[in-house]
Amino acid sequence: MKKFFSLLLTLALVLSLAACGGGNGGSDAGTTTPPPADSGDTQTPPPAEDVTITVAALASGYEEAYPGMWQEVCDAFTAETGVKVNLICDKNLEDVIGPSMQGGDFPDVIHLATGREKGLTEQFIKDRNIAELTDVLSMTIPGESAKVSDKIVGGFTDTSVTNPYGDGVTYLAPMFYSPCGLFYNAGLFEEKGWTVPATWDEMWELAEKAQAEGSYLFTYPTTGYFDAFLYALMYSVGGADFFNKATSYAEGIWDTPEAQQCFDIIAKLASYTNPVTPAQANDQDFTQNQQLVLDNKALFMPNGTWIVGEMAEAPRAEGFQWGMTALPAAKAGGNGASYCWLEQAWIPAAAPNLDAAKQFVAFLYSDAACAIFAKGGAVQPVPGLTDNLEGDNKLFYAIYDNGADAAMGNFAAYNAVAGLGTVREVFLDPVNGLVNSSVTVDQWVSDIKAASDQMRANLMG
């Protein structure tokens, strides 16, 4: 992990990007400027007696691996601070909290990452409706003497994922992180005597072997999973320089040889994708696409370490064993790449109990909370947490130690423009059309170029 963290620290210094764009609508909470440096301890005023905060958290694969994980953390917070917590935990969190927020009733804390189909977090980012969390970094963790900043690995609060406006202010707290890559049935590879491809040329050769065996090379849960895939692909093809220019929509970037290589790889991969994938690529049926890998009907799928818990009870082929690899190198002798997926916790600007909400966010980095999250396989960017990993997680988190480059950061946020879609709608959703032949590669690339011009012209900052 030492190599991994050094890579992240290097990336943090070069990534001054803004987070990916989302929907529109809502009020404008106004802009802010970075606060002066403060090495002291920030003591949030104690909340009033009988305060009850509402915490809304996504019930992801981690919650499935350890049911009640979030409730246990909330109970531990109450025991430490006396602040009561009303927990909302659901797989379709946006549908549960969305209607009440439209009526002006906001949770105090939300744990929901960017990249979801409904783009709720992106919408709050775009509308600047997220409270600042920079002062939380200097708060003392409830029940401990350490400050929050003491418990977060360097670099994790300096990226576009947490500082979406590029102004040095943290708005989203870094939570569970996961190496993302291509997951596969290692037992099948052992049985067939196949070698995991190290380059894309080797990947295409394997695709032909898979077809001869009655299988397909590829599937994906939803097009949203192509965000981590595309980030890693851009990084492996063009390194940090191309990655940074592409994610900030630099003029002419999509006309470069590196961009063409990325487009060609995704288009060819679409031709080797199990054809049932697009029909199931939604937030309700995505596990059916994941099941294709467990049933040996597709060899690879992009995913994160949560997949093990998410599919723990699913049937699988005899001899199935989880495997994970970075995206192949762009050329022989090069490095593959793995995107570091980082989930976020944040506070709506209109949260009714701001002080208590910040206390809760600080508590998320306590030893007690970290230990509870670890039971579900959720790893936070806190020093030492990876030392005790076992089994599949030990294998997955070693991906950076085994030679993969780490990519981290998002597409830059831009102001809402009439007729301009989200990053997902422009870059990722058309992959469904590439697979079922309803969208041509030329149309996809042309739309990306046109949208990028508007995105660049309307960058936030």
Side-chain angles (χ1 to χ4, degrees):
M1 293 303 295
K2 291 181 179 178
K3 177 183 177 184
F4 168 48
F5 289 131
S6 65
L7 281 167
L8 287 180
L9 198 53
T10 301
L11 284 169
L13 296 175
V14 300
L15 290 176
S16 58
L17 312 175
C20 62
N24 51 55
S27 61
D28 188 351
T31 59
T32 57
T33 56
D38 180 9
S39 60
D41 181 19
T42 298
Q43 295 289 351
T44 300
E49 292 183 5
D50 298 324
V51 168
T52 298
I53 64 172
T54 297
V55 173
L58 179 69
S60 65
Y62 300 130
E63 178 75 20
E64 292 185 20
Y66 183 56
M69 177 183 76
W70 274 103
Q71 186 61 60
E72 190 171 336
V73 170
C74 292
D75 292 344
F77 173 72
T78 300
E80 185 61 51
T81 65
V83 177
K84 303 179 183 67
V85 179
N86 171 38
L87 174 66
I88 301 171
C89 190
D90 197 277
K91 290 182 179 179
N92 300 305
L93 188 63
E94 300 94 331
D95 296 336
V96 176
I97 65 177
S100 60
M101 289 197 299
Q102 289 179 357
D105 183 12
F106 293 87
D108 294 289
V109 179
I110 298 177
H111 178 267
L112 186 71
T114 54
R116 297 271 294 171
E117 184 173 1
K118 292 181 172 62
L120 182 86
T121 301
E122 286 91 338
Q123 178 177 326
F124 272 74
I125 291 171
K126 183 171 291 187
D127 294 335
R128 294 186 181 270
N129 284 333
I130 297 183
E132 293 183 31
L133 294 182
T134 301
D135 57 337
V136 174
L137 300 178
S138 56
M139 284 175 56
T140 299
I141 296 172
E144 299 184 7
S145 59
K147 293 188 293 185
V148 173
S149 59
D150 296 332
K151 300 290 284 287
I152 300 178
V153 172
F156 272 89
T157 56
D158 300 318
T159 77
S160 62
V161 183
T162 56
N163 300 17
Y165 308 119
D167 56 3
V169 179
T170 299
Y171 287 85
L172 298 99
M175 282 295 291
F176 315 138
Y177 77 94
S178 169
C180 293
L182 300 178
F183 286 73
Y184 63 97
N185 179 2
L188 177 65
F189 275 65
E190 183 177 352
E191 175 189 336
K192 300 294 185 182
W194 293 339
T195 300
V196 176
T199 66
W200 284 106
D201 286 339
E202 293 176 7
M203 184 69 84
W204 310 138
E205 293 174 7
L206 180 60
E208 298 298 326
K209 294 179 182 178
Q211 285 191 338
E213 296 283 345
S215 184
Y216 290 87
L217 178 70
F218 194 69
T219 187
Y220 50 89
T222 71
T223 54
Y225 281 68
F226 264 92
D227 57 359
F229 180 95
L230 179 59
Y231 291 138
L233 180 61
M234 292 191 298
Y235 203 92
S236 66
V237 167
D241 183 61
F242 174 70
F243 179 91
N244 292 344
K245 290 178 180 177
T247 51
S248 57
Y249 323 109
E251 187 170 2
I253 193 64
W254 305 119
D255 293 311
T256 61
E258 291 86 356
Q260 189 60 53
Q261 186 174 5
C262 290
F263 295 143
D264 290 344
I265 288 173
I266 292 177
K268 193 164 187 176
L269 200 56
S271 70
Y272 286 120
T273 296
N274 191 309
V276 305
T277 299
Q280 301 172 165
N282 54 69
D283 285 348
Q284 289 71 48
D285 304 317
F286 71 96
T287 56
Q288 296 181 42
N289 284 337
Q290 295 176 167
Q291 187 67 42
L292 296 175
V293 174
L294 277 72
D295 293 338
N296 294 334
K297 296 179 180 178
L299 298 191
F300 293 103
M301 66 174 165
N303 225 300
T305 57
W306 58 83
I307 182 64
V308 176
E310 197 166 62
M311 302 298 287
E313 303 302 321
R316 60 205 62 209
E318 184 178 355
F320 183 90
Q321 182 180 346
W322 284 111
M324 175 190 176
T325 183
L327 264 65
K331 58 184 178 181
N335 288 344
S338 167
Y339 184 72
C340 179
W341 176 260
L342 182 62
E343 299 186 31
Q344 307 99 31
W346 45 279
I347 298 174
N353 302 290
L354 187 60
D355 290 342
K358 289 186 175 183
Q359 276 201 323
F360 184 83
V361 172
F363 184 76
L364 293 176
Y365 300 95
S366 66
D367 291 344
C370 290
I372 295 169
F373 288 134
K375 295 177 183 178
V379 180
Q380 294 156 276
V382 173
L385 290 188
T386 59
D387 295 344
N388 299 320
L389 294 178
E390 298 177 350
D392 291 323
N393 271 336
K394 185 175 183 179
L395 169 69
F396 300 156
Y397 280 84
I399 192 169
Y400 301 107
D401 294 330
N402 293 333
D405 288 334
M408 192 174 180
N410 285 344
F411 276 106
Y414 51 90
N415 294 303
V417 177
L420 178 59
T422 65
V423 164
R424 174 170 172 160
E425 290 169 339
V426 172
F427 287 85
L428 311 180
D429 285 348
V431 173
N432 279 336
L434 297 178
V435 175
N436 62 28
S437 300
S438 64
V439 174
T440 67
V441 176
D442 288 344
Q443 178 184 346
W444 175 49
V445 174
S446 177
D447 289 345
I448 286 176
K449 292 179 180 178
S452 289
D453 289 340
Q454 287 186 283
M455 294 168 177
R456 181 176 61 256
N458 291 278
L459 285 173
M460 283 186 168

